C-alpha cells in the first residue's frame, strides 16, 4: 500500500482518522436519508406546528407574547424535536441489526463508536433543520401579533438546537442500551420523565432536560412569573448554570452510550 | 495469528462454543461444521463481535476488536446485510472511509476492488438490484479492499449458483496464492477442500478435530461404514455376508431391508454381485452410508467421546495450507 493516507501510515493520528470517519458516516447517512418517505416525514414534522399556529393566528383570539412563546416552545423544541428524534435516533442501532449491516460496520477500527457518533450527528442535523424550518414559518405567521419576534426567534432557535442535541444524546443512549425496545423506552421516558416529572413543581423535575430548557426560555424572553405554584416550575439560576448542566448531561449520555456500544455484544437474530 | 485459550461462549443456558483451545498460525483454514454447530460464533469471537464467557481469544497478539487488529482483518458475514438503495461503489467506499481512508483514496480503492471481483459494470447500480452472486462479489470486495492480512468468510457459497461458486472459489485461491491468511466457514466439505487442505471441524460447539485433509480422512479409516440393502431374502443375504467375513455386523431395518457395517466397503461392492447371482437373491437397492459432513461429524463425535484423537487436544499450533 503506497497511499500517503493509508490507514497503516503511522504518521497519521488515530484521532484524525476517526474524525474523518465520523464525517464520512454523517455524509453517508445524510445521503441515505434523501428518500421520498424520509423527506415526506420531515415535511410533515416541520409543518404540524405550523398548522396549529395558523389555527391560533387566523381563527382564535390573539394570545399575549408570553403565551406565544410557551406555545412555540411546547410545539417545536418539546414536541416536534422529540418526535423527530424518536423516529431517527432511538432505533439507530436496531435498524443496523435488523438490516444485518451491523457486522460490516462493527469490524472496522473504532467502527462502533464512529457509527454511533455519525448517526447521532445525522439525526440531530435532520431534527434541528426541521425544527428551525418550522420555527421560521411559525414566527413569520405569528410575528404581526407578537412583540420582539426577533428575540423570540433567536431564543427558540437556540432551544431547538439544544433540544435536538440533548434529546438526541439521550435517545442514542436508549438505542444502545435496549436496541429492540429503544423507541418504546424513549416514548415511555418522554411521557413519564419529560412530560410528567418535568412539569412537576418539585426539585425532581430538575433532572429533566425540559426543566432547564424552560428556565432558559424564561431567562431569555424575560417571563413575568406570577403565582407561587408557577414559580416552582422555574429556577432563578443564571442561564450559564442551566447550559452547563445541559452540556454535562449531553456529554454524559454520549460517553456512556459510546462506551456501551464498544463493549456490549450485538448479534444478528438468525446467527448460529 | 489466532489463539483460543479454553474459550467457551454461552448464550444464556445455550452453549455456542465449548472449551475451544487452539492456536492457528498464518495460513488458510476451512472451518467445517453442520448448521448450528458454532461456526459463526467462533468467527464472531475472532472479529470481536462476541466476547467469550470463559477463556480468552487473541488475534494477531491483541484482544479481538482492537483497532490495530481490525485494520488487518477483512470480514465477510454470512448474511447479505447491505443497503438496497446505495450502489456497490458507495457501499464499499463508505466502509473504506470508516476504515480510515480519505474519501478520494477510498473511492479509488473501492473501484479497484470491485473491478477485481468483476463488478466493474454494475458498481454504480443500487445493491437492491443485484443478483445473489453480485452481492457475494460485493461482499468479497468490501472485505478485501483495504488489503487485509487475514480474511474471514462466513459461508461464502451459500445460495450461489455453480458459476458463482466457481468464481468465488477462484478468487479465494488467488487470495491464498498471495500468501494471505484465510478462514472460510462452510458446511460443505468438498467446497472447502477445493480451496484449502487445512480443516477445523466443529460440531455442537466443540472442536472435534483439526489438521490436514489427509489427517481427517485417516481418522475415519478404522470406522465401519454402513451399507443398506433392500432385498427379498434379508436373512439369507445376512448369513452370506457374515460367512464371507465381509461385514462386522448386521442390523434389520425392516422386513426387507438390512444395514451392514463394514470396514471394507470396496470389497463388499466387488463381491456382492457374484454372491447374489450365485444364491439367486434379488437386491432391489443398495445404498452406501451417507457420506455427508453430518455423518462424519457423528463419527468424530463418537471418537471424541472415546478421547482417541484431535490435534487440538494435543495443543499443537495448527499450520494452515499455503500455496506460496
Amino acid at each position: 500500500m503506497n497511499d500517503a493516507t493509508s490507514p497503516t501510515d503511522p504518521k497519521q493520528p488515530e484521532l484524525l482518522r476517526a474524525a474523518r470517519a465520523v464525517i464520512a458516516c454523517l455524509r453517508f447517512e445524510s445521503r441515505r436519508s434523501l428518500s421520498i418517505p424520509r423527506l415526506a416525514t420531515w415535511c410533515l414534522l416541520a409543518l404540524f406546528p405550523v398548522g396549529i399556529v395558523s389555527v391560533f393566528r387566523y381563527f382564535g383570539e390573539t394570545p399575549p407574547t408570553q403565551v406565544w412563546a410557551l406555545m412555540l416552545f411546547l410545539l417545536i423544541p418539546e414536541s416536534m424535536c422529540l418526535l423527530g428524534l424518536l423516529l431517527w435516533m432511538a432505533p439507530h442501532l436496531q435498524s443496523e441489526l435488523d438490516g444485518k449491516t451491523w457486522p460490516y460496520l462493527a469490524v472496522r477500527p473504532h467502527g462502533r463508536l464512529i457509527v454511533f457518533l455519525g448517526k447521532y450527528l445525522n439525526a440531530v442535523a435532520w431534527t434541528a433543520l426541521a425544527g428551525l424550518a418550522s420555527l421560521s414559518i411559525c414566527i413569520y405567521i405569528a410575528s404581526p401579533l407578537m412583540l420582539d419576534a426577533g428575540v423570540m426567534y433567536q431564543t427558540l432557535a437556540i432551544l431547538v438546537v439544544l433540544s435536538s442535541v440533548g434529546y438526541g444524546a439521550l435517545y442514542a443512549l436508549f438505542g444502545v442500551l435496549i436496541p429492540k425496545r429503544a423507541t418504546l423506552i424513549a416514548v415511555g421516558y418522554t411521557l413519564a420523565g419529560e412530560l410528567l416529572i418535568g412539569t412537576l413543581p418539585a426539585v425532581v423535575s430538575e433532572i429533566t432536560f425540559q426543566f432547564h430548557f424552560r428556565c432558559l426560555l424564561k431567562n431569555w424572553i424575560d417571563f413575568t412569573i406570577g403565582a407561587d405554584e408557577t414559580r416552582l416550575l422555574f429556577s432563578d439560576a443564571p442561564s450559564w448554570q442551566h447550559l452547563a448542566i445541559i452540556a454535562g448531561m449531553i456529554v454524559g449520555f454520549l460517553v456512556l452510550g459510546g462506551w456501551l456500544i464498544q463493549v456490549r455484544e450485538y448479534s444478528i437474530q438468525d446467527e448460529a | 495469528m489466532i489463539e483460543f485459550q479454553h474459550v467457551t461462549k454461552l448464550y444464556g443456558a445455550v452453549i455456542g462454543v465449548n472449551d475451544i483451545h487452539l492456536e492457528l498460525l498464518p495460513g488458510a483454514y476451512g472451518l467445517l461444521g453442520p448448521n448450528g454447530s458454532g461456526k459463526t460464533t467462533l468467527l464472531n469471537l475472532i472479529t470481536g463481535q462476541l466476547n467469550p464467557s470463559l477463556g480468552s481469544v487473541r488475534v494477531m497478539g491483541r484482544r479481538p476488536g482492537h483497532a490495530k487488529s481490525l485494520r488487518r482483518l477483512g470480514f465477510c458475514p454470512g448474511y447479505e446485510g447491505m443497503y438496497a438503495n446505495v450502489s456497490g461503489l458507495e457501499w464499499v467506499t463508505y466502509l473504506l472511509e470508516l476504515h480510515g481512508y480519505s474519501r478520494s483514496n477510498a473511492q479509488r480503492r473501492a473501484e479497484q476492488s470491485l473491478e477485481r471481483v468483476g463488478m466493474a459494470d454494475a458498481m454504480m447500480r443500487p445493491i437492491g438490484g443485484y443478483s445473489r452472486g453480485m452481492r457475494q462479489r460485493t461482499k468479497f470486495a468490501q472485505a478485501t479492499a483495504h488489503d487485509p492480512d487475514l480474511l474471514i468468510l462466513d459461508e461464502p457459497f451459500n445460495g450461489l449458483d455453480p458459476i458463482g461458486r466457481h468464481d468465488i472459489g477462484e478468487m479465494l485461491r488467488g487470495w491464498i496464492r498471495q500468501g494471505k491468511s484465510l478462514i472460510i466457514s462452510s458446511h460443505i466439505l468438498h467446497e472447502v477442500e477445493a480451496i484449502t487442505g487445512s480443516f477445523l471441524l466443529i460440531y455442537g460447539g466443540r472442536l472435534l478435530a483439526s489438521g490436514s485433509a489427509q489427517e481427517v480422512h485417516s481418522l475415519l479409516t478404522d470406522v465401519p461404514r454402513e451399507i443398506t440393502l433392500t432385498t427379498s431374502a434379508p436373512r439369507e443375504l445376512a448369513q452370506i455376508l457374515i460367512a464371507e467375513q465381509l461385514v462386522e455386523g448386521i442390523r434389520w431395518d425392516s422386513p426387507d431391508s438390512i444395514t451392514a457395517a463394514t470396514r471394507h466397503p470396496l470389497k463388499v461392492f466387488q463381491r456382492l454381485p457374484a454372491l447374489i447371482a450365485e444364491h439367486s437373491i434379488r437386491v432391489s437397492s443398495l445404498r452406501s452410508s451417507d457420506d455427508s459432513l453430518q455423518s462424519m461429524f457423528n463419527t468424530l463425535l463418537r471418537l471424541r467421546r472415546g478421547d482417541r484423537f484431535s490435534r487440538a487436544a494435543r495443543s499443537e499450533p495448527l499450520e494452515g495450507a499455503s500455496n506460496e
Side-chain angles (χ1 to χ4, degrees), chain B residues 174-219:
Chain B
W175 180 263
I176 297 168
R177 274 196 296 274
Q178 291 174 46
K180 304 266 190 175
S181 293
L182 170 76
I183 298 177
I184 175 173
S185 89
S186 176
H187 59 277
I188 301 165
L189 178 60
H190 68 88
E191 282 178 347
V192 177
E193 211 168 9
I195 291 164
T196 177
S198 291
F199 299 118
L200 304 166
L201 305 182
I202 186 170
Y203 184 60
R206 280 186 172 275
L207 188 67
L208 295 182
S210 57
S212 67
Q214 277 181 335
E215 283 175 308
V216 172
H217 285 304
S218 71
L219 293 170

Side-chain angles (χ1 to χ4, degrees), chain A residues 88-155:
Chain A
W88 298 320
M89 191 70 255
H92 69 100
L93 177 57
Q94 191 55 33
S95 64
E96 300 295 339
L97 294 174
D98 285 343
K100 299 177 180 175
T101 45
W102 178 247
Y104 295 92
L105 310 172
V107 296
R108 304 289 158 178
H110 308 297
R112 292 166 175 238
L113 189 59
I114 286 164
V115 171
F116 174 76
L117 292 174
K119 280 178 164 265
Y120 167 71
L121 292 177
N122 180 55
V124 166
W126 274 79
T127 307
L129 282 175
L132 291 174
S134 185
L135 179 67
S136 305
I137 302 171
C138 287
I139 293 284
Y140 175 76
I141 291 169
S143 59
L145 305 177
M146 62 171 68
L147 300 170
D148 293 330
V151 174
M152 179 96 78
Y153 180 81
Q154 200 178 332
T155 301

